[in-house]
């Protein structure tokens, strides 16, 4: 089978063998109502209320939304505005701040949901609060709700985790392999695909071995080892590399009979259906050249990233850049007081040397960006079209197909900010459509 192009980049999986450690409960957590795609969650608690771990504090507000549950026990300190991107108050998203009492008392109303059919299964997935934990953040229940007449051939469980440094999904597949397996079986039972495939890069042999042992006698469920090649875990790339199907421009994965679900997402709803405990905590990889003691950390959602770094021995004095996510597709954050959200699978700190920004020089027309684009786009041509503000050319070069993986910028010898230009080009294209 022909494989889509991509890069062999340093893995830097320093924490792959480190079992996640549970950190002390922070003094307070801030839970954003917009930790997912779609409509923000709607608070159902008031300032001064006592809450317990797992208690519903915000309900899903609309078909594409996700509920939020208390990650610590304590008192609701405030409900205010807080931008999960910039960290500045008075911006886009409401958030609930809980002052922790340190007791971590479990909400007594928790119980496993009754799941006997597809409708009850989808309701349970929704009530668990789970979203795309690989970084996309799209609520999982509407993703799994198929349109009438959809022909579902494959559900791909995404365990590629191809970004450097990040190992939180790897630890899920190793430490919670049973939940990954059980969640995969639930998907097969209630969505009825022809096949469920757990996709894992071959640099994760322990995860492959564990899940192969669990699936050996399971009809229609298998483990597929994949070459370690970035961006193997990008959903369109994964679909092509495993099924040889191409998602059309502007199309959905279901248009080619596929759904992709992150492995940790699967483990979360499987645990909820078995125990009744919704998404309140998650494993986070804390790493980077400025981190003194890299670890995988189990932390309550809403924990300030400052507390994560303190649990890992702190960061060095020459720390220059803090990133949520991976170094290829993550976002720089402005403050150590930023809270983690549901999709925070990693937090990284890099020294000034490793975070050095290079000055771009003129394009030398070497073609490396074109040779290495996993979607076969022409980034240098798209950059020219963007600078000319020529939307017709952006459409011609299909910038909307870009998956924003950063391969083009990574290989560019002229240090052109190509991945940034891809995003700006999409924005220009969108604005033109609105006009």
């Amino acid at each position: 089978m022909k494989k889509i192009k991509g890069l062999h980049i340093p893995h830097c999986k320093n924490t792959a063998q480190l079992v996640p450690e549970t950190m002390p409960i922070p003094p307070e957590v801030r839970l954003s109502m917009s930790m997912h795609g779609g409509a923000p969650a709607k608070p159902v608690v008031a300032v001064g209320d006592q809450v317990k771990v797992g208690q519903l504090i915000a309900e899903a507000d609309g078909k594409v939304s996700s509920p939020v549950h208390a990650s610590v026990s304590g008192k609701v300190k405030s409900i205010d505005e807080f931008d999960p991107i910039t960290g500045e108050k008075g911006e886009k998203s409401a958030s609930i701040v809980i002052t922790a009492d340190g007791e971590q008392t479990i909400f007594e109303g928790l119980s496993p949901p009754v799941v006997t059919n597809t409708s009850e299964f989808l309701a349970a997935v929704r009530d668990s609060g789970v979203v795309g934990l690989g970084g996309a953040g799209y609520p999982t229940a509407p993703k799994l709700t198929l349109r009438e007449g959809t022909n579902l051939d494959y559900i791909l469980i995404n365990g590629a985790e191809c970004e450097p440094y990040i190992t939180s999904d790897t630890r899920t597949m190793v430490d919670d392999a049973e939940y990954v397996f059980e969640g995969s079986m639930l998907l097969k039972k209630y969505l009825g695909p022809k096949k469920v495939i757990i996709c894992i890069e071959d640099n994760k042999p322990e995860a492959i071995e564990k899940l192969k042992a669990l699936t050996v006698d399971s009809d229609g469920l298998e483990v597929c080892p994949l070459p370690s090649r970035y961006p193997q875990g990008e959903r369109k790339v994964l679909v092509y590399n495993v099924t040889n199907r191409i998602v059309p421009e502007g199309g959905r994965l279901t248009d080619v009979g596929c759904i992709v679900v992150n492995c940790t997402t699967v483990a979360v709803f499987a645990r909820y259906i078995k125990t009744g405990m919704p998404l309140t905590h998650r494993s986070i990889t804390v790493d980077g050249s400025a981190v003194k003691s890299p670890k995988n950390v189990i932390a309550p959602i809403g924990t300030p990233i400052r507390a994560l770094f303190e649990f890992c021995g702190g960061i060095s004095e020459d720390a220059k850049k803090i990133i949520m996510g991976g170094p290829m597709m993550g976002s720089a954050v402005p403050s150590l007081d930023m809270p983690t959200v549901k999709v925070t699978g990693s937090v990284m700190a890099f020294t000034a040397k490793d975070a050095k920004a290079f000055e771009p020089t003129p394009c030398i027309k070497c073609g490396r960006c074109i040779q290495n684009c996993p979607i076969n786009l022409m980034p240098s041509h798209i950059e020219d079209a963007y600078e000319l503000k020529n939307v017709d050319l952006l459409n011609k070069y299909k910038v909307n197909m870009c998956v924003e993986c950063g391969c083009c910028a990574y290989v560019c010898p002229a240090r052109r900010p190509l991945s940034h230009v891809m995003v700006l080009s999409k924005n220009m294209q969108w604005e033109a459509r609105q006009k």
Side-chain angles (χ1 to χ4, degrees):
M1 184 185 298
K2 180 182 177 182
K3 301 301 179 183
I4 279 185
K5 294 178 291 186
L7 300 175
H8 290 294
I9 59 178
H11 298 301
C12 302
K13 303 287 189 179
N14 309 313
T15 58
Q17 301 304 316
L18 299 181
V19 176
E21 300 179 28
T22 301
M23 67 172 288
I25 302 304
E28 68 177 34
V29 296
R30 178 182 289 274
L31 294 157
S32 169
M33 301 296 98
S34 296
M35 293 188 280
H36 53 266
K42 182 180 179 181
V44 295
V45 293
V47 174
D49 285 356
Q50 293 286 338
V51 297
K52 298 176 181 179
V53 177
Q55 180 177 339
L56 180 73
I57 60 172
E59 61 186 6
D61 191 17
K63 290 184 178 180
V64 183
S65 187
S66 182
V68 178
H69 302 83
S71 59
V72 298
S73 58
K75 181 183 289 187
V76 177
K77 176 182 177 182
S78 64
I79 301 176
D80 58 21
E81 296 293 317
F82 187 86
D83 190 323
I85 302 299
T86 67
E88 298 174 0
K89 292 184 178 181
E91 294 287 339
K92 300 177 181 178
S93 172
S95 61
I96 297 175
V97 179
I98 302 174
T99 301
D101 59 17
E103 299 296 325
Q104 287 303 87
T105 306
I106 303 299
F107 181 56
E108 57 275 6
L110 298 181
S111 62
V114 175
V115 177
T116 61
N117 55 47
T118 300
S119 178
E120 290 174 346
F121 170 67
L122 293 173
V125 172
R126 179 185 176 94
D127 292 344
S128 74
V130 74
V131 300
L133 298 180
Y138 192 80
T140 303
K143 174 194 275 192
L144 300 180
T145 303
L146 302 176
R147 294 177 176 179
E148 187 175 351
T150 298
N151 182 25
L152 184 61
D153 296 323
Y154 297 99
I155 295 179
L156 306 183
I157 309 303
N158 191 349
E161 198 167 45
C162 56
E163 278 250 20
Y165 293 95
I166 309 176
T167 64
S168 51
D169 279 349
T170 300
R171 294 313 313 178
T172 294
M173 292 185 289
V174 172
D175 303 322
D176 292 322
E178 291 80 5
Y179 281 129
V180 176
F181 169 71
E182 290 172 12
S184 301
M185 291 299 290
L186 287 167
L187 288 170
K188 187 174 188 305
K189 179 177 180 179
Y190 292 113
L191 296 189
K194 294 178 181 176
K195 188 173 290 188
V196 177
I197 304 175
I198 302 173
C199 310
I200 312 174
E201 282 194 319
D202 58 14
N203 63 344
K204 304 170 183 63
E206 188 177 3
I208 292 172
E209 182 180 352
K210 279 204 167 188
L211 286 163
K212 276 191 171 182
L214 288 168
T215 60
V216 66
D217 295 322
S218 302
D219 185 44
L221 175 60
E222 65 182 56
V223 176
C224 177
L226 296 167
S228 302
R229 193 168 179 85
Y230 180 83
Q232 187 71 265
E234 200 286 322
R235 59 194 186 116
K236 293 179 182 177
V237 175
L238 191 67
V239 164
Y240 181 82
N241 281 352
V242 176
T243 72
N244 213 27
R245 299 180 181 185
I246 297 175
V247 180
E249 182 179 10
R252 300 167 179 257
L253 270 62
T254 50
D255 293 339
V256 294
C258 298
I259 291 178
V260 174
V261 190
N262 171 264
C263 61
T264 300
T265 297
V266 170
V268 167
F269 68 66
R271 180 185 287 109
Y272 173 70
I273 289 172
K274 187 171 185 177
T275 68
M277 178 58 70
L279 177 59
T280 60
H281 292 59
R282 70 161 299 167
S283 177
I284 300 171
T285 299
V286 184
D287 203 349
S289 55
V291 177
K292 294 185 178 179
S293 181
K295 297 178 181 179
N296 285 306
V297 179
I298 297 176
I301 294 168
T303 297
I305 60 175
R306 182 189 304 277
L308 290 171
F309 288 129
E310 288 173 353
F311 183 63
C312 295
I315 54 178
S316 58
E317 293 181 0
D318 63 340
K320 179 70 174 179
K321 180 173 285 189
I322 309 297
I323 295 175
M324 275 190 177
M328 296 296 288
M329 297 183 70
S331 299
V333 296
S335 168
L336 290 174
D337 295 321
M338 285 288 292
T340 62
V341 293
K342 291 181 180 181
V343 300
T344 305
S346 62
V347 176
M348 301 185 181
F350 292 98
T351 61
K353 177 184 177 183
D354 291 333
K356 181 180 178 181
F358 294 92
E359 285 295 322
T361 58
C363 175
I364 61 173
K365 310 299 181 185
C366 65
R368 292 185 188 178
C369 60
I370 298 171
Q371 294 166 5
N372 290 281
C373 175
I375 309 297
N376 292 317
L377 300 180
M378 297 186 289
S380 57
H381 290 51
I382 292 171
E383 183 185 36
D384 291 340
Y386 172 75
E387 291 177 350
L388 291 169
K389 301 189 184 305
N390 190 324
V391 176
D392 289 337
L393 280 177
L394 292 178
N395 293 335
K396 176 183 176 181
Y397 295 137
K398 300 187 180 297
V399 66
N400 198 44
M401 291 286 287
C402 174
V403 297
E404 300 173 25
C405 64
C407 286
C408 52
Y410 184 87
V411 299
C412 179
R415 307 291 184 180
R416 305 297 301 170
L418 293 172
S419 55
H420 185 57
V421 169
M422 298 301 109
V423 176
L424 295 177
S425 297
K426 287 183 180 182
N427 291 342
M428 181 183 291
Q429 192 182 49
W430 182 85
E431 290 169 0
R433 284 199 299 267
Q434 302 311 303
K435 292 178 181 179

